[in-house]
Amino acid sequence: QQEPMTQSLYSPPGLEFSSGSGSGVPKIVQRTIAKEVCHLQAVGRGRFGEVWRGEWRHEDVAVKVFYSTEEASWARESSIYEQCLMRHENVLAFLASDICGTGGWTQMVLITEYHPLGSLHDFLSQQPVLTLGNTIRLLFSAAKGLAFLHTEICGSPGKPALAHRDIKSRNILVKTGGVCCIADLGLAVRYSSINGMIDPSPPLVQGTKRYFAPEILDSSLDTRCFESLTQADMYAFALVVWETLLRCRLPDSDPVPYRLPFSEHAPNDPSVELMQSLVCEQALRPTVCQHWLTSSYSSAVVEMMTECWQHRASARLTSLRVKKCLRDLDESFRRSDVQGAEADCNC
Ligand code: ADP
Ligand code: MG
Ligand code: MG
């Protein structure tokens, strides 16, 4: 990790601001936000930019600084946060977005709440182990966030349905309190039942190949059908469930070291061809550990997970079903003796 540093990445006031890349984004706009943010420490890096812990109006915030070539991604993510009613405990909370620049130089930022525990991927790789209670709670909260995204709210202000299109453990953050929020809406598309339009109309191959559903890999997904897009999210969600189960401590067995799904077969940034051969032709899925089947709670999670990664997209559970399943498990777990035993041994 880089040394903490303080810097302002923004140009001084008094310059004429424009988006600079000819993408159609209007001339700018709010310069106060950009001037007010202090970047303190790099905390993450993705395909579209760098994320910094920063300070804004005396609060810790996360500042996502987009690469100058990624204006479309900045515009899409900003507009989803700004235009849709996006307040939900399990969706990353948006604070502001800004673009500024002169000539060929453009700075695009998105400011959100900062979560010091970082992504679920980092959390699972670094945390010692999860109790069964922690595991169910993390997954239930992530499912609530995903179900919120997928569901249209008709009203004023309403919210279109959204398909995320890049669900993975690096795009889910862990909040203090052991719950998750869904982040990185850079590839999300919206759907409104009023006009039946998907906006923007997405390319088939976009996102993270390791998490691509079979129908993306074999090009059979119909990108004009919104439900197909949410079904592909559910496949990716199932892989996240598997990653989380790896770190769950169950009675009489040790948790397995964290690893990415398909890591034994697929190197970093695998090709579509390799993933297609694994997922479609060999019908491979991540291995279900035998000890997960020794508890009725984790067995139920396994059953839900395998229903979500089925080859036939229409057979997968919806995010609403998954949310309900995990809510029932969470409630029953809280009332159970296992919960007491976990608390007693403080594991
Ligand atoms: P990209 O679109 O480039 O993939 P992300 O929004 O996924 O960018 O962020 C990249 C990484 O930065 C995440 O995987 C996570 O580790 C970290 N990160 C992003 N947002 C936050 C935040 N609000 N708080 C803490 N860490 C964050
Ligand atoms: Mg990301
Ligand atoms: Mg992204």
Side-chain angles (χ1 to χ4, degrees), residues 46-48 64 66 73 77 166 171 184-187:
R47 229 170 318 139
F48 301 97
K64 182 166 171 177
F66 288 74
S73 179
E77 198 164 358
D166 201 10
N171 284 341
D184 195 355
L185 300 178
L187 297 180

Side-chain angles (χ1 to χ4, degrees), residues 336-347:
S336 74
D337 298 342
V338 190
Q339 147 100 337
E342 280 191 341
D344 285 347
C345 75
N346 197 23
C347 53

Side-chain angles (χ1 to χ4, degrees), residues 113-151:
E113 268 180 8
Y114 173 64
H115 296 297
L117 295 174
S119 71
L120 182 61
H121 172 270
D122 295 343
F123 182 77
L124 295 173
S125 341
Q126 289 155 18
Q127 276 293 306
V129 281
L130 301 172
T131 63
L132 193 50
N134 297 150
T135 307
I136 296 173
R137 195 169 151 78
L138 280 170
L139 294 175
F140 175 38
S141 61
K144 280 196 280 186
L146 187 58
F148 174 79
L149 289 182
H150 282 178
T151 310

